[in-house]
Amino acid sequence: MALKFFNTLSRTLQDFVPLDPSGQSVGMYCCGPTVYDFAHIGNWRTFVFSDLVRRTLEFTGKKVQHVMNITDVDDKIIRRVRETNTSLREFTGRYEAAFFEDLKTLSCLLPHTTPRATEHIPEIIALIAKLLEHGLAYKAPDSSVYFSIENYRKSGRQYGQLVKLNFDEMRIGERVRSDEYEKESVADFALWKTRVPEDGNVFWASPWGEGRPGWHIECSAMSMKLLGTSFDLHLGGEDLMFPHHEDEIAQSEGACVQADGKRFVNYWLHGAHLLVESKKMSKSLGNFFTLRELLAKGFTGREIRYLLLTAHYRETFNFTFDGLQGARAALLRIDECLNKLRGLARGTASQPDPEWITRFSLALEDDLNISGAWAAVFDWVRQTNRKLAENTLDTPSASVALATWNKMDSVLGIGSPEEQEVPVEILNLVEARQAARKAKDFKQADTLRDELKAKGWVVEDTPKGARAKKI
Ligand SMILES: [Zn+2]
């Protein structure tokens, strides 16, 4: 079966065909955090979903180029910089560092590139200049530059590819300066915002005077710079569909004329909202949680990741504390089974059982049917536990079972507690062994393997490279 995704552009389930003629390389862009505060659990649902997409692509043998931007200048950030009386970099640096820590806590793979908007001002200016050149943008009386929806539509292009828009009530030339606005108020949006006193020291020089970029143009500039003017996948939460993603399409397709009708992005995937205890998250309801607040309540990143991964990405998910307790119990069942298997396998390496892997894979390839994938995992746990109880597992079959788990876990990323505590000394030995193998010095590689074994560790080769496991 081929990998299928629900593409917001076509509103249908489509076979995923990468632009790369060999079908191997995939370019994937995810809208990253706006670093003005700690990311909340709703944000984390989207980032864990992005991680699932990347891991699934890699599981199916694709080579992914994963780009996630850091929005380090926008309306909200400028407001906070003013309120806290700090510099832009000082303010955003703190939340950016916290974001990367949290990403690690949730075992999300680090994107290959994490560009900052403020480090791409020349690219942003060049893109705006192109839009002006194409007659798709104009300078307003205050020197800000706006995107002209009327001209864009007149040029034969479609504004409203991801969402249906009603243009009857749209007033031509009406402008919106704010980065965030509602579908009902579709209007020309700001590409470059001229400097105002409230911006303080946050401004850059441009051909249109001092100012700063709008939020939407940041993503167009960074994604096209790093992935090309046409790439495979763009991900984000459904709240970004309008205006952010719609505006990204208009800016990118308006600036870069595609010779053969190519699109800016071929597949758009959107993750659904998250409720907390059945209600929309809000500070006034007391159900607004950052990841850090949940950790302070005694839950682990692993439990939170597990819970976030139990629902299909296109379904609204109800995050509850009962759910977190359930996650703890489910992980305990998995860990018990794995510990017994480890005891039996005694570090022997093996290949995964293709039957289980096929079942797990078929579920994921069907638009990330995570319930189907978990059903495969828990059937596997049940069957393995039965065999363990009957005492019918010998060392080779326990080793196959562990290899099966590791393969499935390369997508789930929940690991097991032991794996998170590999001492540096062991990691160094694993690295040295890898280097020896790469240099075809197999004698040295074997010596290092024996040394690891003597210290109670074994090296397993996984699709992600070598991994140390306790014997
Ligand atoms: Zn974006």
Side-chain angles (χ1 to χ4, degrees), residues 41 102 104-107 291-308 319 324-325 327-329 331-332 335 414 417 420:
I41 196 65
D102 290 357
K104 209 168 153 197
T105 304
L106 287 172
S107 299
L291 178 67
R292 281 146 194 259
E293 286 164 337
L294 293 172
L295 297 176
K297 286 181 183 292
F299 296 101
T300 65
R302 194 170 170 241
E303 288 160 353
I304 296 162
R305 178 181 173 95
Y306 173 90
L307 183 58
L308 290 174
F319 189 92
L324 276 174
Q325 296 293 353
R328 184 167 287 178
L331 287 170
L332 213 61
D335 289 346
I414 53 169
Q420 290 156 7

PDB file of all heavy atoms in Angstrom, residues 41 102 104-107 291-308 319 324-325 327-329 331-332 335 414 417 420:
ATOM      1  N   ILE A  41      -0.014  23.107  25.760  1.00  0.00           N
ATOM      2  CA  ILE A  41      -0.240  21.722  25.353  1.00  0.00           C
ATOM      3  C   ILE A  41      -0.942  21.626  23.978  1.00  0.00           C
ATOM      4  O   ILE A  41      -0.743  20.667  23.243  1.00  0.00           O
ATOM      5  CB  ILE A  41      -0.996  20.958  26.490  1.00  0.00           C
ATOM      6  CG1 ILE A  41      -0.917  19.467  26.294  1.00  0.00           C
ATOM      7  CG2 ILE A  41      -2.409  21.453  26.697  1.00  0.00           C
ATOM      8  CD1 ILE A  41       0.478  18.904  26.405  1.00  0.00           C
ATOM      9  N   ASP A 102      11.738  21.722  25.688  1.00  0.00           N
ATOM     10  CA  ASP A 102      10.445  21.030  25.722  1.00  0.00           C
ATOM     11  C   ASP A 102      10.344  20.021  24.575  1.00  0.00           C
ATOM     12  O   ASP A 102       9.782  18.938  24.726  1.00  0.00           O
ATOM     13  CB  ASP A 102       9.289  22.043  25.610  1.00  0.00           C
ATOM     14  CG  ASP A 102       9.147  22.897  26.866  1.00  0.00           C
ATOM     15  OD1 ASP A 102       9.898  22.668  27.833  1.00  0.00           O
ATOM     16  OD2 ASP A 102       8.276  23.791  26.871  1.00  0.00           O
ATOM     17  N   LYS A 104      12.650  18.336  23.303  1.00  0.00           N
ATOM     18  CA  LYS A 104      13.433  17.166  23.700  1.00  0.00           C
ATOM     19  C   LYS A 104      12.673  16.343  24.748  1.00  0.00           C
ATOM     20  O   LYS A 104      12.648  15.121  24.688  1.00  0.00           O
ATOM     21  CB  LYS A 104      14.767  17.658  24.276  1.00  0.00           C
ATOM     22  CG  LYS A 104      15.889  16.680  24.094  1.00  0.00           C
ATOM     23  CD  LYS A 104      17.209  17.355  24.426  1.00  0.00           C
ATOM     24  CE  LYS A 104      18.204  16.314  24.887  1.00  0.00           C
ATOM     25  NZ  LYS A 104      19.323  16.906  25.590  1.00  0.00           N
ATOM     26  N   THR A 105      12.044  17.044  25.683  1.00  0.00           N
ATOM     27  CA  THR A 105      11.269  16.346  26.718  1.00  0.00           C
ATOM     28  C   THR A 105      10.202  15.461  26.086  1.00  0.00           C
ATOM     29  O   THR A 105       9.889  14.392  26.583  1.00  0.00           O
ATOM     30  CB  THR A 105      10.590  17.384  27.657  1.00  0.00           C
ATOM     31  OG1 THR A 105      11.611  18.213  28.189  1.00  0.00           O
ATOM     32  CG2 THR A 105       9.805  16.739  28.755  1.00  0.00           C
ATOM     33  N   LEU A 106       9.644  15.937  24.972  1.00  0.00           N
ATOM     34  CA  LEU A 106       8.582  15.174  24.313  1.00  0.00           C
ATOM     35  C   LEU A 106       9.142  14.221  23.252  1.00  0.00           C
ATOM     36  O   LEU A 106       8.392  13.662  22.462  1.00  0.00           O
ATOM     37  CB  LEU A 106       7.559  16.125  23.691  1.00  0.00           C
ATOM     38  CG  LEU A 106       6.653  16.820  24.708  1.00  0.00           C
ATOM     39  CD1 LEU A 106       5.807  17.878  24.045  1.00  0.00           C
ATOM     40  CD2 LEU A 106       5.763  15.815  25.431  1.00  0.00           C
ATOM     41  N   SER A 107      10.450  14.046  23.243  1.00  0.00           N
ATOM     42  CA  SER A 107      11.119  13.132  22.297  1.00  0.00           C
ATOM     43  C   SER A 107      10.796  13.440  20.841  1.00  0.00           C
ATOM     44  O   SER A 107      10.680  12.515  20.023  1.00  0.00           O
ATOM     45  CB  SER A 107      10.764  11.678  22.593  1.00  0.00           C
ATOM     46  OG  SER A 107      11.177  11.331  23.859  1.00  0.00           O
ATOM     47  N   LEU A 291       3.623  22.819  28.889  1.00  0.00           N
ATOM     48  CA  LEU A 291       4.215  21.503  29.153  1.00  0.00           C
ATOM     49  C   LEU A 291       4.845  21.501  30.540  1.00  0.00           C
ATOM     50  O   LEU A 291       4.715  20.550  31.305  1.00  0.00           O
ATOM     51  CB  LEU A 291       5.272  21.193  28.078  1.00  0.00           C
ATOM     52  CG  LEU A 291       5.996  19.869  28.268  1.00  0.00           C
ATOM     53  CD1 LEU A 291       5.055  18.694  28.068  1.00  0.00           C
ATOM     54  CD2 LEU A 291       7.179  19.747  27.309  1.00  0.00           C
ATOM     55  N   ARG A 292       5.507  22.599  30.863  1.00  0.00           N
ATOM     56  CA  ARG A 292       6.200  22.697  32.146  1.00  0.00           C
ATOM     57  C   ARG A 292       5.246  22.566  33.335  1.00  0.00           C
ATOM     58  O   ARG A 292       5.599  21.995  34.363  1.00  0.00           O
ATOM     59  CB  ARG A 292       6.927  24.045  32.222  1.00  0.00           C
ATOM     60  CG  ARG A 292       8.202  23.975  31.431  1.00  0.00           C
ATOM     61  CD  ARG A 292       8.594  25.233  30.749  1.00  0.00           C
ATOM     62  NE  ARG A 292       9.629  24.896  29.786  1.00  0.00           N
ATOM     63  CZ  ARG A 292      10.929  25.109  29.992  1.00  0.00           C
ATOM     64  NH1 ARG A 292      11.341  25.719  31.060  1.00  0.00           N
ATOM     65  NH2 ARG A 292      11.805  24.733  29.097  1.00  0.00           N
ATOM     66  N   GLU A 293       4.046  23.108  33.180  1.00  0.00           N
ATOM     67  CA  GLU A 293       3.077  22.999  34.277  1.00  0.00           C
ATOM     68  C   GLU A 293       2.639  21.545  34.476  1.00  0.00           C
ATOM     69  O   GLU A 293       2.420  21.102  35.594  1.00  0.00           O
ATOM     70  CB  GLU A 293       1.869  23.900  34.000  1.00  0.00           C
ATOM     71  CG  GLU A 293       2.213  25.366  34.213  1.00  0.00           C
ATOM     72  CD  GLU A 293       1.200  26.334  33.604  1.00  0.00           C
ATOM     73  OE1 GLU A 293       0.471  25.940  32.666  1.00  0.00           O
ATOM     74  OE2 GLU A 293       1.170  27.481  34.064  1.00  0.00           O
ATOM     75  N   LEU A 294       2.548  20.812  33.370  1.00  0.00           N
ATOM     76  CA  LEU A 294       2.161  19.396  33.485  1.00  0.00           C
ATOM     77  C   LEU A 294       3.287  18.584  34.111  1.00  0.00           C
ATOM     78  O   LEU A 294       3.042  17.686  34.908  1.00  0.00           O
ATOM     79  CB  LEU A 294       1.780  18.831  32.110  1.00  0.00           C
ATOM     80  CG  LEU A 294       0.513  19.418  31.490  1.00  0.00           C
ATOM     81  CD1 LEU A 294       0.350  18.946  30.062  1.00  0.00           C
ATOM     82  CD2 LEU A 294      -0.721  19.034  32.311  1.00  0.00           C
ATOM     83  N   LEU A 295       4.526  18.918  33.763  1.00  0.00           N
ATOM     84  CA  LEU A 295       5.671  18.214  34.356  1.00  0.00           C
ATOM     85  C   LEU A 295       5.714  18.485  35.863  1.00  0.00           C
ATOM     86  O   LEU A 295       5.990  17.600  36.660  1.00  0.00           O
ATOM     87  CB  LEU A 295       6.991  18.660  33.709  1.00  0.00           C
ATOM     88  CG  LEU A 295       7.178  18.381  32.214  1.00  0.00           C
ATOM     89  CD1 LEU A 295       8.501  18.974  31.732  1.00  0.00           C
ATOM     90  CD2 LEU A 295       7.134  16.886  31.890  1.00  0.00           C
ATOM     91  N   ALA A 296       5.400  19.738  36.226  1.00  0.00           N
ATOM     92  CA  ALA A 296       5.408  20.105  37.651  1.00  0.00           C
ATOM     93  C   ALA A 296       4.340  19.327  38.424  1.00  0.00           C
ATOM     94  O   ALA A 296       4.443  19.151  39.638  1.00  0.00           O
ATOM     95  CB  ALA A 296       5.183  21.607  37.797  1.00  0.00           C
ATOM     96  N   LYS A 297       3.316  18.859  37.734  1.00  0.00           N
ATOM     97  CA  LYS A 297       2.272  18.059  38.392  1.00  0.00           C
ATOM     98  C   LYS A 297       2.689  16.599  38.518  1.00  0.00           C
ATOM     99  O   LYS A 297       1.911  15.760  38.958  1.00  0.00           O
ATOM    100  CB  LYS A 297       0.962  18.157  37.605  1.00  0.00           C
ATOM    101  CG  LYS A 297       0.258  19.493  37.781  1.00  0.00           C
ATOM    102  CD  LYS A 297      -1.048  19.496  36.997  1.00  0.00           C
ATOM    103  CE  LYS A 297      -1.738  20.840  37.078  1.00  0.00           C
ATOM    104  NZ  LYS A 297      -2.248  21.165  38.421  1.00  0.00           N
ATOM    105  N   GLY A 298       3.888  16.284  38.040  1.00  0.00           N
ATOM    106  CA  GLY A 298       4.407  14.926  38.226  1.00  0.00           C
ATOM    107  C   GLY A 298       4.293  14.016  37.010  1.00  0.00           C
ATOM    108  O   GLY A 298       4.637  12.835  37.075  1.00  0.00           O
ATOM    109  N   PHE A 299       3.788  14.544  35.887  1.00  0.00           N
ATOM    110  CA  PHE A 299       3.709  13.710  34.686  1.00  0.00           C
ATOM    111  C   PHE A 299       5.019  13.819  33.909  1.00  0.00           C
ATOM    112  O   PHE A 299       5.755  14.797  34.046  1.00  0.00           O
ATOM    113  CB  PHE A 299       2.510  14.124  33.831  1.00  0.00           C
ATOM    114  CG  PHE A 299       1.213  13.886  34.525  1.00  0.00           C
ATOM    115  CD1 PHE A 299       0.522  14.933  35.132  1.00  0.00           C
ATOM    116  CD2 PHE A 299       0.690  12.606  34.630  1.00  0.00           C
ATOM    117  CE1 PHE A 299      -0.655  14.710  35.817  1.00  0.00           C
ATOM    118  CE2 PHE A 299      -0.489  12.372  35.319  1.00  0.00           C
ATOM    119  CZ  PHE A 299      -1.168  13.423  35.911  1.00  0.00           C
ATOM    120  N   THR A 300       5.301  12.814  33.097  1.00  0.00           N
ATOM    121  CA  THR A 300       6.555  12.835  32.333  1.00  0.00           C
ATOM    122  C   THR A 300       6.282  13.197  30.877  1.00  0.00           C
ATOM    123  O   THR A 300       5.152  13.054  30.387  1.00  0.00           O
ATOM    124  CB  THR A 300       7.232  11.451  32.355  1.00  0.00           C
ATOM    125  OG1 THR A 300       6.370  10.520  31.669  1.00  0.00           O
ATOM    126  CG2 THR A 300       7.486  10.964  33.769  1.00  0.00           C
ATOM    127  N   GLY A 301       7.342  13.635  30.206  1.00  0.00           N
ATOM    128  CA  GLY A 301       7.225  13.953  28.790  1.00  0.00           C
ATOM    129  C   GLY A 301       6.752  12.736  28.007  1.00  0.00           C
ATOM    130  O   GLY A 301       5.976  12.846  27.066  1.00  0.00           O
ATOM    131  N   ARG A 302       7.215  11.593  28.439  1.00  0.00           N
ATOM    132  CA  ARG A 302       6.861  10.339  27.770  1.00  0.00           C
ATOM    133  C   ARG A 302       5.356  10.061  27.875  1.00  0.00           C
ATOM    134  O   ARG A 302       4.711   9.668  26.910  1.00  0.00           O
ATOM    135  CB  ARG A 302       7.646   9.240  28.477  1.00  0.00           C
ATOM    136  CG  ARG A 302       7.701   7.951  27.776  1.00  0.00           C
ATOM    137  CD  ARG A 302       8.707   7.060  28.495  1.00  0.00           C
ATOM    138  NE  ARG A 302       8.594   5.723  27.967  1.00  0.00           N
ATOM    139  CZ  ARG A 302       8.255   4.674  28.683  1.00  0.00           C
ATOM    140  NH1 ARG A 302       8.023   4.789  29.985  1.00  0.00           N
ATOM    141  NH2 ARG A 302       8.171   3.497  28.107  1.00  0.00           N
ATOM    142  N   GLU A 303       4.796  10.301  29.061  1.00  0.00           N
ATOM    143  CA  GLU A 303       3.352  10.077  29.256  1.00  0.00           C
ATOM    144  C   GLU A 303       2.538  11.072  28.428  1.00  0.00           C
ATOM    145  O   GLU A 303       1.525  10.720  27.833  1.00  0.00           O
ATOM    146  CB  GLU A 303       3.005  10.206  30.751  1.00  0.00           C
ATOM    147  CG  GLU A 303       3.517   9.034  31.571  1.00  0.00           C
ATOM    148  CD  GLU A 303       3.637   9.331  33.066  1.00  0.00           C
ATOM    149  OE1 GLU A 303       3.443  10.497  33.484  1.00  0.00           O
ATOM    150  OE2 GLU A 303       3.968   8.395  33.811  1.00  0.00           O
ATOM    151  N   ILE A 304       3.009  12.304  28.400  1.00  0.00           N
ATOM    152  CA  ILE A 304       2.286  13.345  27.653  1.00  0.00           C
ATOM    153  C   ILE A 304       2.363  13.054  26.158  1.00  0.00           C
ATOM    154  O   ILE A 304       1.374  13.137  25.438  1.00  0.00           O
ATOM    155  CB  ILE A 304       2.845  14.745  28.011  1.00  0.00           C
ATOM    156  CG1 ILE A 304       2.586  15.016  29.500  1.00  0.00           C
ATOM    157  CG2 ILE A 304       2.223  15.832  27.146  1.00  0.00           C
ATOM    158  CD1 ILE A 304       3.421  16.124  30.104  1.00  0.00           C
ATOM    159  N   ARG A 305       3.543  12.673  25.678  1.00  0.00           N
ATOM    160  CA  ARG A 305       3.688  12.324  24.260  1.00  0.00           C
ATOM    161  C   ARG A 305       2.758  11.158  23.908  1.00  0.00           C
ATOM    162  O   ARG A 305       2.059  11.201  22.897  1.00  0.00           O
ATOM    163  CB  ARG A 305       5.138  11.935  23.952  1.00  0.00           C
ATOM    164  CG  ARG A 305       5.322  11.512  22.503  1.00  0.00           C
ATOM    165  CD  ARG A 305       6.745  11.098  22.184  1.00  0.00           C
ATOM    166  NE  ARG A 305       6.814  10.557  20.845  1.00  0.00           N
ATOM    167  CZ  ARG A 305       7.146  11.246  19.757  1.00  0.00           C
ATOM    168  NH1 ARG A 305       7.450  12.511  19.850  1.00  0.00           N
ATOM    169  NH2 ARG A 305       7.163  10.665  18.576  1.00  0.00           N
ATOM    170  N   TYR A 306       2.761  10.140  24.758  1.00  0.00           N
ATOM    171  CA  TYR A 306       1.914   8.972  24.495  1.00  0.00           C
ATOM    172  C   TYR A 306       0.455   9.423  24.351  1.00  0.00           C
ATOM    173  O   TYR A 306      -0.221   9.069  23.391  1.00  0.00           O
ATOM    174  CB  TYR A 306       2.053   7.945  25.635  1.00  0.00           C
ATOM    175  CG  TYR A 306       1.076   6.803  25.497  1.00  0.00           C
ATOM    176  CD1 TYR A 306       1.417   5.655  24.782  1.00  0.00           C
ATOM    177  CD2 TYR A 306      -0.202   6.879  26.043  1.00  0.00           C
ATOM    178  CE1 TYR A 306       0.511   4.617  24.622  1.00  0.00           C
ATOM    179  CE2 TYR A 306      -1.119   5.856  25.883  1.00  0.00           C
ATOM    180  CZ  TYR A 306      -0.760   4.726  25.176  1.00  0.00           C
ATOM    181  OH  TYR A 306      -1.663   3.703  25.006  1.00  0.00           O
ATOM    182  N   LEU A 307      -0.010  10.212  25.317  1.00  0.00           N
ATOM    183  CA  LEU A 307      -1.415  10.630  25.288  1.00  0.00           C
ATOM    184  C   LEU A 307      -1.725  11.443  24.022  1.00  0.00           C
ATOM    185  O   LEU A 307      -2.735  11.218  23.360  1.00  0.00           O
ATOM    186  CB  LEU A 307      -1.747  11.439  26.547  1.00  0.00           C
ATOM    187  CG  LEU A 307      -3.205  11.872  26.676  1.00  0.00           C
ATOM    188  CD1 LEU A 307      -4.142  10.663  26.653  1.00  0.00           C
ATOM    189  CD2 LEU A 307      -3.425  12.664  27.957  1.00  0.00           C
ATOM    190  N   LEU A 308      -0.827  12.353  23.668  1.00  0.00           N
ATOM    191  CA  LEU A 308      -1.056  13.187  22.469  1.00  0.00           C
ATOM    192  C   LEU A 308      -1.087  12.332  21.208  1.00  0.00           C
ATOM    193  O   LEU A 308      -1.704  12.707  20.212  1.00  0.00           O
ATOM    194  CB  LEU A 308       0.026  14.261  22.345  1.00  0.00           C
ATOM    195  CG  LEU A 308      -0.025  15.378  23.376  1.00  0.00           C
ATOM    196  CD1 LEU A 308       1.189  16.299  23.232  1.00  0.00           C
ATOM    197  CD2 LEU A 308      -1.312  16.190  23.265  1.00  0.00           C
ATOM    198  N   PHE A 319      -7.933  16.369  25.918  1.00  0.00           N
ATOM    199  CA  PHE A 319      -6.807  16.076  26.807  1.00  0.00           C
ATOM    200  C   PHE A 319      -7.314  16.133  28.248  1.00  0.00           C
ATOM    201  O   PHE A 319      -7.852  17.148  28.668  1.00  0.00           O
ATOM    202  CB  PHE A 319      -5.734  17.141  26.571  1.00  0.00           C
ATOM    203  CG  PHE A 319      -4.431  16.877  27.249  1.00  0.00           C
ATOM    204  CD1 PHE A 319      -3.422  16.201  26.597  1.00  0.00           C
ATOM    205  CD2 PHE A 319      -4.202  17.318  28.551  1.00  0.00           C
ATOM    206  CE1 PHE A 319      -2.194  15.963  27.207  1.00  0.00           C
ATOM    207  CE2 PHE A 319      -2.983  17.089  29.172  1.00  0.00           C
ATOM    208  CZ  PHE A 319      -1.977  16.400  28.497  1.00  0.00           C
ATOM    209  N   LEU A 324      -4.100  11.075  31.167  1.00  0.00           N
ATOM    210  CA  LEU A 324      -2.678  10.983  31.537  1.00  0.00           C
ATOM    211  C   LEU A 324      -2.430   9.798  32.466  1.00  0.00           C
ATOM    212  O   LEU A 324      -1.413   9.112  32.349  1.00  0.00           O
ATOM    213  CB  LEU A 324      -2.218  12.279  32.210  1.00  0.00           C
ATOM    214  CG  LEU A 324      -1.810  13.408  31.270  1.00  0.00           C
ATOM    215  CD1 LEU A 324      -1.510  14.684  32.058  1.00  0.00           C
ATOM    216  CD2 LEU A 324      -0.595  13.029  30.433  1.00  0.00           C
ATOM    217  N   GLN A 325      -3.375   9.558  33.372  1.00  0.00           N
ATOM    218  CA  GLN A 325      -3.245   8.370  34.250  1.00  0.00           C
ATOM    219  C   GLN A 325      -3.297   7.107  33.404  1.00  0.00           C
ATOM    220  O   GLN A 325      -2.553   6.151  33.641  1.00  0.00           O
ATOM    221  CB  GLN A 325      -4.385   8.336  35.302  1.00  0.00           C
ATOM    222  CG  GLN A 325      -4.358   9.497  36.286  1.00  0.00           C
ATOM    223  CD  GLN A 325      -3.136   9.459  37.217  1.00  0.00           C
ATOM    224  OE1 GLN A 325      -2.360   8.500  37.220  1.00  0.00           O
ATOM    225  NE2 GLN A 325      -2.940  10.521  37.989  1.00  0.00           N
ATOM    226  N   ALA A 327      -2.402   6.856  30.327  1.00  0.00           N
ATOM    227  CA  ALA A 327      -1.138   6.772  29.581  1.00  0.00           C
ATOM    228  C   ALA A 327      -0.075   6.116  30.457  1.00  0.00           C
ATOM    229  O   ALA A 327       0.684   5.260  30.005  1.00  0.00           O
ATOM    230  CB  ALA A 327      -0.684   8.177  29.177  1.00  0.00           C
ATOM    231  N   ARG A 328      -0.064   6.495  31.719  1.00  0.00           N
ATOM    232  CA  ARG A 328       0.924   5.926  32.654  1.00  0.00           C
ATOM    233  C   ARG A 328       0.733   4.412  32.751  1.00  0.00           C
ATOM    234  O   ARG A 328       1.699   3.646  32.687  1.00  0.00           O
ATOM    235  CB  ARG A 328       0.732   6.585  34.025  1.00  0.00           C
ATOM    236  CG  ARG A 328       1.732   6.161  35.047  1.00  0.00           C
ATOM    237  CD  ARG A 328       1.687   7.063  36.245  1.00  0.00           C
ATOM    238  NE  ARG A 328       2.271   8.376  35.966  1.00  0.00           N
ATOM    239  CZ  ARG A 328       2.319   9.374  36.840  1.00  0.00           C
ATOM    240  NH1 ARG A 328       1.798   9.221  38.040  1.00  0.00           N
ATOM    241  NH2 ARG A 328       2.876  10.522  36.523  1.00  0.00           N
ATOM    242  N   ALA A 329      -0.522   3.985  32.870  1.00  0.00           N
ATOM    243  CA  ALA A 329      -0.811   2.546  32.995  1.00  0.00           C
ATOM    244  C   ALA A 329      -0.423   1.803  31.717  1.00  0.00           C
ATOM    245  O   ALA A 329       0.156   0.718  31.766  1.00  0.00           O
ATOM    246  CB  ALA A 329      -2.297   2.358  33.305  1.00  0.00           C
ATOM    247  N   LEU A 331       1.829   2.617  29.488  1.00  0.00           N
ATOM    248  CA  LEU A 331       3.290   2.559  29.341  1.00  0.00           C
ATOM    249  C   LEU A 331       3.890   1.525  30.286  1.00  0.00           C
ATOM    250  O   LEU A 331       4.857   0.842  29.939  1.00  0.00           O
ATOM    251  CB  LEU A 331       3.906   3.939  29.589  1.00  0.00           C
ATOM    252  CG  LEU A 331       3.662   4.944  28.460  1.00  0.00           C
ATOM    253  CD1 LEU A 331       4.078   6.345  28.882  1.00  0.00           C
ATOM    254  CD2 LEU A 331       4.435   4.543  27.198  1.00  0.00           C
ATOM    255  N   LEU A 332       3.279   1.401  31.447  1.00  0.00           N
ATOM    256  CA  LEU A 332       3.749   0.407  32.413  1.00  0.00           C
ATOM    257  C   LEU A 332       3.609  -1.006  31.835  1.00  0.00           C
ATOM    258  O   LEU A 332       4.497  -1.846  31.975  1.00  0.00           O
ATOM    259  CB  LEU A 332       2.905   0.543  33.690  1.00  0.00           C
ATOM    260  CG  LEU A 332       3.618   0.241  34.992  1.00  0.00           C
ATOM    261  CD1 LEU A 332       4.787   1.192  35.189  1.00  0.00           C
ATOM    262  CD2 LEU A 332       2.644   0.357  36.165  1.00  0.00           C
ATOM    263  N   ASP A 335       6.328  -1.434  29.299  1.00  0.00           N
ATOM    264  CA  ASP A 335       7.649  -1.546  29.938  1.00  0.00           C
ATOM    265  C   ASP A 335       7.855  -2.913  30.586  1.00  0.00           C
ATOM    266  O   ASP A 335       8.941  -3.487  30.508  1.00  0.00           O
ATOM    267  CB  ASP A 335       7.826  -0.451  31.003  1.00  0.00           C
ATOM    268  CG  ASP A 335       7.990   0.917  30.362  1.00  0.00           C
ATOM    269  OD1 ASP A 335       8.238   0.967  29.140  1.00  0.00           O
ATOM    270  OD2 ASP A 335       7.859   1.928  31.064  1.00  0.00           O
ATOM    271  N   ILE A 414       8.356   6.537  22.003  1.00  0.00           N
ATOM    272  CA  ILE A 414       8.133   6.569  23.456  1.00  0.00           C
ATOM    273  C   ILE A 414       9.229   5.818  24.194  1.00  0.00           C
ATOM    274  O   ILE A 414       9.336   5.906  25.406  1.00  0.00           O
ATOM    275  CB  ILE A 414       6.739   6.032  23.866  1.00  0.00           C
ATOM    276  CG1 ILE A 414       6.493   4.658  23.278  1.00  0.00           C
ATOM    277  CG2 ILE A 414       5.660   7.005  23.480  1.00  0.00           C
ATOM    278  CD1 ILE A 414       5.288   3.988  23.862  1.00  0.00           C
ATOM    279  N   PRO A 417      12.220   3.669  29.742  1.00  0.00           N
ATOM    280  CA  PRO A 417      13.045   4.440  30.674  1.00  0.00           C
ATOM    281  C   PRO A 417      14.532   4.139  30.577  1.00  0.00           C
ATOM    282  O   PRO A 417      15.339   5.051  30.614  1.00  0.00           O
ATOM    283  CB  PRO A 417      12.487   4.052  32.035  1.00  0.00           C
ATOM    284  CG  PRO A 417      11.102   3.621  31.766  1.00  0.00           C
ATOM    285  CD  PRO A 417      11.109   3.007  30.411  1.00  0.00           C
ATOM    286  N   GLN A 420      16.628   6.085  28.068  1.00  0.00           N
ATOM    287  CA  GLN A 420      16.892   7.507  28.286  1.00  0.00           C
ATOM    288  C   GLN A 420      18.078   7.726  29.209  1.00  0.00           C
ATOM    289  O   GLN A 420      18.476   8.834  29.456  1.00  0.00           O
ATOM    290  CB  GLN A 420      15.643   8.175  28.842  1.00  0.00           C
ATOM    291  CG  GLN A 420      14.559   8.242  27.792  1.00  0.00           C
ATOM    292  CD  GLN A 420      13.192   8.347  28.402  1.00  0.00           C
ATOM    293  OE1 GLN A 420      13.040   8.494  29.596  1.00  0.00           O
ATOM    294  NE2 GLN A 420      12.172   8.245  27.554  1.00  0.00           N
TER     295      GLN A 420
END
